[in-house]
């Protein structure tokens, strides 16, 4: 449940089989992505799993990066950073409400991934992002990929 999901992945990923995309559109489960990716990686050993979340959503369950490290799971975690809870901010603004509590200080997420025992990458373009995800799938532990868009 992140803006990146609402405007992208939920509608445009073409998956080859059922039960390959963990997404809960009905309950606004902010923070669900990382635990879901961890569960997917544990449920299908040896099969690739990846996580796509926003910067605000990541912080709801960031401690699961340590679990991925402990389990030595090569899960790429792509964090699309728009500076906070942009979807909520947009909804407030559209309704004439002054934005409150939606602009976040985002730490250096790639460094956070390293501090937790994984790998960390700052992706600076779509090509760099694609290469980082490909490399992360073959890594010896998880990789937190910080992709800033604001």
């Amino acid at each position: 449940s992140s803006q990146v999901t609402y405007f992208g992945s939920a509608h445009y990923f073409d998956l080859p089989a059922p039960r390959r995309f963990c997404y809960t559109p009905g309950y606004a489960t902010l923070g669900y992505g990382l635990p879901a990716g961890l569960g997917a990686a544990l449920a299908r050993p040896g099969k690739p799993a990846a996580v796509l979340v926003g910067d605000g959503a990541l912080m709801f369950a960031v401690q699961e990066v340590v679990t991925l490290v402990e389990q030595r799971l090569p899960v790429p975690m792509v964090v699309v950073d728009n500076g906070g809870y942009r979807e909520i901010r947009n909804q407030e603004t559209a309704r004439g409400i002054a934005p409150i509590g939606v602009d976040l200080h985002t730490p250096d997420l790639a460094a956070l991934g390293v501090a937790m025992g994984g790998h960390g990458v700052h992706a600076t373009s779509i090509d760099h992002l694609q290469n980082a995800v490909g490399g992360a799938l073959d890594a010896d532990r998880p990789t937190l990929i910080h992709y800033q868009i604001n």
Side-chain angles (χ1 to χ4, degrees), residues 52-118:
L52 175 65
V53 294
D55 54 313
L58 172 74
M59 298 311 285
F60 274 79
V62 71
Q63 70 278 5
E64 297 301 355
V65 174
V66 174
T67 306
L68 289 166
V69 169
E70 290 172 342
Q71 298 300 312
R72 304 206 56 79
L73 296 168
V75 174
M77 298 163 283
V78 176
V79 183
V80 178
D81 179 358
N82 64 10
Y85 303 114
R86 193 58 45 110
E87 177 64 18
I88 297 169
R89 181 185 229 292
N90 291 350
Q91 292 296 324
E92 288 174 340
T93 302
R95 288 166 176 76
I97 301 167
I100 184 168
V102 293
D103 296 317
L104 302 177
H105 165 76
T106 304
D108 182 336
L109 296 176
L112 183 61
V114 172
M116 293 181 149

